[in-house]
Amino acid sequence: MKKILITGENSFIGKSLKSWLVNYSEDYSIDTITMREDSWKIKGFTQYDVVFHVAGIAHVSSDPKMEDMYYKVNRDLTIEVAEKAKSAGVKQFIFMSSIIVYGDSSSSKRIIDKNTVPNPSNFYGNSKLLAEEGISPLNSDKFKVVIVRPPMIYGKGSKGNYPKLAKAAQKLPIFPNINNQRSMLHIDNLCEFIRLMIDNEESGLFFPQNSEYVKTSEMVQLIAETHGKRIILTKIFNPVLRVMARKVGLINKVFGNLVYEKNMSKYKEDYRSRNLRDTIVATEK
């Protein structure tokens, strides 16, 4: 049985992973810990095989007053926890980074491949990248570091843009039909991926995503169908939205393009337990 410590006990991902691994109760023992105060510093890590570090500030802020906090939490805390884990003899450290290290989505086609150099466009992305750079040198045969750069994660109880789109899908009679592509990752697919990272004692950099790219308008239509609603997709707003996307960050987030090249996300075992339609149904029902 592997003993796992999840940092960020109230986080969406942390709670979801714990629930997922409970299905394998004979294989894993799971503890969670909050990182909001300094009490974690006196907690012993020696009994754990794996530390899954998901604690952090998860969403982009343009408030310059928040910059120091992003670096303190996303960079400095990550490095400090990783160093503590290594000193305690923990065998594996899994860090949740983000696709945001590559910058924002684009109004034109944008495909990230293994040769794409990270280029953060905000201090959220930069804090994640600096955390990666801070923990990577700790990797060794006895302390395996896994860095996961997922795209947008969604599922029942998730925050961010997905629940906003879900509300729109249930209320709006029409929705813009823009031909964009996004990489996304359902929480169940992520949890299964993390389980495989633990089982296989992996180290390195990974890019999990759903098997299908997502077109925002088609996803909204799927959500509406799940609720028995009919929504009409129209291109009448497209010219205005394309202009707005250059100036309004939210428009670009919703209708922009940002995908991982699909081969980047393949793994030797299948972690995609649900396809897109199934993930929408699981999230909305």
Side-chain angles (χ1 to χ4, degrees), residues 13 43 83 110 157-158 167 173 199 209 211 229 237 254:
I13 295 174
K43 180 177 176 60
E83 290 174 341
R110 186 167 184 220
S158 63
K167 287 182 180 180
D199 277 5
Q209 65 176 326
S211 57
K229 306 287 185 179
F237 304 112
V254 174

Side-chain angles (χ1 to χ4, degrees), residues 215-252:
K215 179 180 175 181
T216 303
S217 57
E218 290 180 352
M219 184 182 71
V220 167
Q221 195 169 49
L222 274 174
I223 295 170
E225 289 175 5
T226 302
H227 290 279
K229 306 287 185 179
R230 182 173 181 268
I231 192 166
I232 298 171
L233 303 181
T234 176
K235 295 183 178 181
I236 192 170
F237 304 112
N238 290 19
V240 174
L241 289 171
R242 288 194 185 98
V243 173
M244 290 179 64
R246 299 170 192 160
K247 300 179 180 179
V248 181
L250 180 60
I251 300 297
N252 189 44

Side-chain angles (χ1 to χ4, degrees), residues 60 99-112 119-122 151-152 161 180-183 214 216 245-259:
V60 176
I99 196 173
I100 199 70
V101 300
Y102 294 102
D104 293 329
S105 53
S106 169
S107 57
S108 57
K109 193 172 182 179
R110 186 167 184 220
I111 301 175
I112 296 167
N119 184 27
S121 58
N122 52 56
M152 188 181 96
N161 288 327
N180 69 321
Q181 284 187 325
R182 300 299 295 258
S183 286
V214 176
T216 303
R246 299 170 192 160
K247 300 179 180 179
V248 181
L250 180 60
I251 300 297
N252 189 44
K253 285 181 184 178
V254 174
F255 295 108
N257 295 270
L258 186 63
V259 300

Side-chain angles (χ1 to χ4, degrees), residues 61-68 123:
S61 171
S62 58
D63 184 355
K65 295 179 181 178
M66 288 291 293
E67 183 170 2
D68 288 345
F123 43 78

Side-chain angles (χ1 to χ4, degrees), residues 151 206 272:
F206 297 89
R272 293 148 172 163

Side-chain angles (χ1 to χ4, degrees), residues 9 32 46 50 55 61 95 137 153 168 172 201 203 227 230-231 235 263 274 276:
E9 64 182 8
T32 60
T46 54
V50 180
S61 171
F95 171 55
I153 298 166
L172 298 177
E201 299 179 355
S203 64
H227 290 279
R230 182 173 181 268
I231 192 166
K235 295 183 178 181
N263 284 330
R274 301 179 189 269
L276 178 62

Side-chain angles (χ1 to χ4, degrees), residues 65-121:
K65 295 179 181 178
M66 288 291 293
E67 183 170 2
D68 288 345
M69 183 59 68
Y70 272 80
Y71 289 114
K72 181 179 179 180
V73 174
N74 288 351
R75 177 194 62 193
D76 300 345
L77 179 63
T78 299
I79 296 169
E80 192 173 357
V81 174
E83 290 174 341
K84 178 179 173 69
K86 185 170 185 175
S87 297
V90 174
K91 297 173 183 176
Q92 187 184 43
F93 185 83
I94 303 175
F95 171 55
M96 288 298 297
S97 186
S98 171
I99 196 173
I100 199 70
V101 300
Y102 294 102
D104 293 329
S105 53
S106 169
S107 57
S108 57
K109 193 172 182 179
R110 186 167 184 220
I111 301 175
I112 296 167
D113 61 31
K114 289 191 174 180
N115 296 317
T116 303
V117 177
N119 184 27
S121 58

